[in-house]
Amino acid sequence: MHASFTSALQAAHEAAASQHYPQGALYVVATPIGNLADVTLRALHVLSLVDAVACEDTRHTQGMLRAYGIDKASAQLLAVHQHNESEAAEMVVARLQQGQRIAYVSDAGTPAISDPGARLVAAAQAAGLQVLPLPGASSMTAALSVAGIVQEGGFVFTGFLPSKAGERDAAVLLLQAEPRAVVLLEAPHRIEALARALLPLGTRRITLGRELTKQFEEIATVPAADLPDWLAAQASRTRGEFVVVVHPTPPTQTDTLDLRVLQLLMAELPLKTAVKLAAEISGQPKNELYEAALALKKSAKEDSEDS
């Protein structure tokens, strides 16, 4: 056990023990993505409490648990990974039906997003069992939080692109047509190939998060066209696990002009008529212009109330 976590484990029990933790339930537990200190108090308490911990790699999970002072016998660690998840899920469900509490953890971060866990969750739900989330660390949200993306419209989580060059290039073509932010994951041995594949995105900005939360964490934002050179500038930049955020397509001058046309028409005509004419003039979808018109109308109303 790391001496620094002695008080953390006691604090976890004091903070989280009052909550009810039903038997026969699967607990999907987020674990740190690198920095052990990012674990939640509730995660520590539940990992101590459960009868067994299902996990991607039993050796990795055993090491993590021992670092926190949580002692689980080898028989309490159940291997559930991408190669055996469907079969192993049946075994976990059988244990849950016996009334056991079981936690599921991936090697890092929140399970069942890009890591295994979704099939296990689906099997437990199909059997009518409770599945309870314990939120925590996520490389995806960590990278988005420092990307500085202010446009509305949400984002798309794609995870790992295909490893074969042709399939990866085809996937990048789809990214070019996606106006929203896109979050990708990549391994160190493929990051340079991904950077080259993203070259067609040109000036579209890319935020790269390397080794997030770890000692040599690095975060940078560069145009897609400059990404290969940025990686090549230092040998260390191709090491570690990566989260890649492709920024949304920037608003074009045409978009701004179309909005101005809509504003002028709204000043003289009923809203629906203004939207119809703006769509005919600009060629933009009528539903998008209608949403923009409502937003403009709301903004104008708020401005008048403030004044």
Side-chain angles (χ1 to χ4, degrees):
M1 177 180 185
H2 290 185
S4 54
F5 291 114
T6 304
S7 57
L9 189 58
Q10 181 60 38
H13 296 321
E14 293 175 357
S18 60
Q19 182 175 345
H20 175 57
Y21 298 94
Q23 293 181 310
L26 176 66
Y27 296 84
V28 181
V29 183
T31 56
I33 59 175
N35 192 318
L36 285 174
D38 287 339
V39 71
T40 69
L41 294 179
R42 198 155 66 105
L44 289 177
H45 178 71
V46 167
L47 289 171
S48 299
L49 176 70
V50 293
D51 300 290
V53 178
C55 52
E56 271 192 274
D57 184 324
T58 57
R59 290 173 298 179
H60 172 88
T61 300
Q62 184 74 280
M64 178 191 70
L65 294 175
R66 286 175 176 167
Y68 294 132
I70 299 172
D71 188 22
K72 296 288 184 187
S74 296
Q76 292 177 286
L77 298 177
L78 315 175
V80 181
H81 46 73
Q82 63 175 336
H83 303 297
N84 77 340
E85 189 174 354
S86 296
E87 298 81 7
E90 296 179 11
M91 174 265 295
V92 173
V93 166
R95 286 182 174 233
L96 292 170
Q97 289 171 330
Q98 294 168 8
Q100 292 188 20
R101 299 183 183 96
I102 298 180
Y104 182 74
V105 299
S106 58
D107 285 349
T110 303
I113 306 300
S114 183
D115 293 336
R119 289 185 176 87
L120 174 59
V121 168
Q125 291 174 335
L129 298 162
Q130 277 190 283
V131 181
L132 305 173
L134 272 70
S138 164
S139 61
M140 172 181 64
T141 54
L144 281 168
S145 71
V146 293
I149 296 171
V150 297
Q151 289 98 329
E152 296 180 358
F155 65 93
V156 176
F157 176 68
T158 298
F160 291 92
L161 292 185
S163 57
K164 294 182 179 179
E167 294 176 1
R168 185 172 57 240
D169 291 342
V172 171
L173 286 176
L174 294 177
L175 291 185
Q176 287 182 273
E178 174 55 67
R180 295 169 292 180
V182 179
V183 183
L184 308 173
L185 303 176
E186 196 51 273
H189 66 282
R190 296 194 337 186
I191 188 62
E192 291 174 296
L194 176 64
R196 291 191 296 271
L198 294 177
L199 283 173
L201 299 182
T203 59
R204 197 161 170 181
R205 288 157 61 83
I206 306 289
T207 292
L208 192 77
R210 185 180 72 84
E211 291 290 84
L212 290 178
T213 78
K214 301 177 184 177
Q215 181 179 359
F216 299 107
E217 173 184 82
E218 189 170 13
I219 300 166
T221 300
V222 297
D226 296 343
L227 189 54
D229 290 339
W230 183 87
L231 288 170
Q234 294 181 23
S236 62
R237 288 179 175 171
T238 57
R239 300 173 190 152
E241 300 298 322
F242 296 86
V243 184
V244 181
V245 181
V246 180
H247 286 231
T249 53
T252 64
Q253 186 175 2
T254 302
D255 293 334
T256 304
L257 178 61
D258 292 341
L259 197 60
R260 179 59 179 159
V261 169
L262 180 60
Q263 288 176 306
L264 292 171
L265 291 171
M266 286 174 62
E268 304 295 333
L269 299 167
L271 188 142
K272 288 186 177 180
T273 304
V275 167
K276 181 175 181 295
L277 288 176
E280 292 175 358
I281 293 169
S282 66
Q284 283 186 274
K286 190 182 297 183
N287 60 336
E288 291 182 10
L289 288 169
Y290 185 75
E291 292 295 327
L294 292 177
L296 288 169
K297 188 175 181 180
K298 180 180 177 182
S299 178
K301 182 180 178 181
E302 291 174 349
D303 289 343
S304 64
E305 289 175 350
D306 291 341
S307 59

